[in-house]
Amino acid sequence: MKTIGLIGGMSWESSKLYYEFLNTNVKGLLGGSHSAKCVMVSVDFSEIEKLTFKSDWKAIGELMKQAAQNLERAGADIILLCTNTIHLVSHYISENINIPFLHIATTTGEAIRDLGLKKVGLLGTKFTMEKDFYTKTLINDFGLEVPIPETNDRQVVHEIIYKELVKGQFTEDSKQKIVEIINKLQIQGAEGVILGCTELPILISELDSPIPIFDTGKIHAYKASEWSVKN
């Protein structure tokens, strides 16, 4: 079994789920008392958040590069960045390590393809929804159509993530707002919706959504654990 390297802390609310997902899937795959071999570098999200709102992506990229290199030195055989938004600077990782980097949009695209869907909505921070670092993988590599919410709804999702979810606040009011936005995406023809923020699945479950949801963190972790077991 190979060792999985995790860059976490963005936020720790979802990073802790990665550990659970990895171990749950390894146990399911191998049985008995098996658990995942993994190592994590966890950053201070407050620092990343400040740099994000300054649009200082270079500084964030350098921090991610350092974290990835630390994981490689610690014995990791593959790297996962346990957040969607910060994949905006994932090239700082992939271009500066000698081990594989598993991109969260790629694993998500594979999961959507496996279900045969063609039009899937995307929820996440404004950075994830509005910039192309995420959607271009889904469009170019998987031929998907990826509608996003209208401007006001994008702001609603963004604020719920940064003002509540990353701080561990998960309210019924916010859940209903997200469900209403998913309903609008369904009206636009979305056959499913990508929860492109790793905290969103803590707020929204399959039971809450009128269309299939794609839990990006779980998909990401399960794909990595499968790779770890097979290699």
Side-chain angles (χ1 to χ4, degrees):
M1 188 192 308
K2 298 295 186 181
T3 300
I4 300 166
L6 307 165
I7 305 176
M10 297 169 283
S11 68
W12 70 264
E13 294 287 345
S14 59
S15 296
K16 65 182 179 182
L17 295 178
Y18 265 80
Y19 185 74
E20 179 179 343
F21 293 147
L22 290 175
N23 285 288
T24 297
N25 201 39
V26 166
K27 183 177 181 179
L29 291 168
L30 299 179
S33 57
H34 284 286
S35 56
K37 293 176 66 177
C38 59
V39 57
M40 176 181 281
V41 169
S42 191
V43 301
D44 179 2
F45 185 60
S46 178
E47 181 180 3
I48 303 297
E49 187 178 40
K50 289 173 184 175
L51 292 171
T52 299
F53 286 107
K54 290 179 181 178
S55 294
D56 193 347
W57 298 105
K58 182 179 186 299
I60 296 172
E62 290 294 335
L63 289 171
M64 296 302 105
K65 178 179 77 172
Q66 181 181 12
Q69 291 174 337
N70 286 342
L71 287 169
E72 185 172 10
R73 285 193 291 269
D77 298 300
I78 192 170
I79 301 291
L80 274 66
L81 179 57
C82 305
T83 167
N84 286 273
T85 295
I86 308 304
H87 273 74
L88 194 155
V89 296
S90 63
H91 58 286
Y92 279 82
I93 298 172
S94 59
E95 294 173 1
N96 290 286
I97 56 176
N98 299 303
I99 55 176
F101 172 72
L102 188 61
H103 199 291
I104 197 168
T106 299
T107 58
T108 299
E110 290 170 348
I112 295 167
R113 180 187 60 196
D114 290 347
L115 284 185
L117 306 187
K118 297 297 183 183
K119 187 173 183 177
V120 183
L122 173 63
L123 300 181
T125 66
K126 289 175 68 175
F127 309 111
T128 299
M129 292 184 286
E130 295 175 358
K131 295 182 181 293
D132 72 349
F133 72 96
Y134 203 94
T135 54
K136 69 181 179 183
T137 295
L138 301 173
I139 295 168
N140 296 341
D141 295 352
F142 298 95
L144 298 174
E145 187 176 350
V146 189
I148 60 174
E150 61 186 31
T151 303
N152 289 341
D153 286 342
R154 294 201 297 271
Q155 185 64 35
V156 169
V157 178
H158 187 81
E159 290 185 358
I160 287 173
I161 291 169
Y162 277 106
K163 293 183 178 180
E164 299 178 21
L165 305 190
V166 300
K167 298 177 181 177
Q169 300 172 21
F170 305 93
T171 68
E172 185 64 29
D173 180 62
S174 291
K175 177 192 288 189
Q176 291 309 313
K177 288 178 181 177
I178 298 295
V179 170
E180 289 172 10
I181 293 169
I182 293 174
N183 285 331
K184 293 179 184 178
L185 289 170
Q186 183 185 31
I187 291 170
Q188 295 178 42
E191 304 166 285
V193 62
I194 299 164
L195 300 186
C197 163
T198 50
E199 286 79 30
L200 277 171
I202 306 175
L203 182 69
I204 299 290
S205 74
E206 286 279 5
L207 298 177
D208 301 309
S209 175
I211 51 179
I213 63 171
F214 291 88
D215 180 341
T216 52
K218 185 174 183 179
I219 292 167
H220 200 200
Y222 269 49
K223 183 66 69 171
S225 55
E226 290 165 10
W227 181 91
S228 171
V229 167
K230 293 176 182 176
N231 287 276

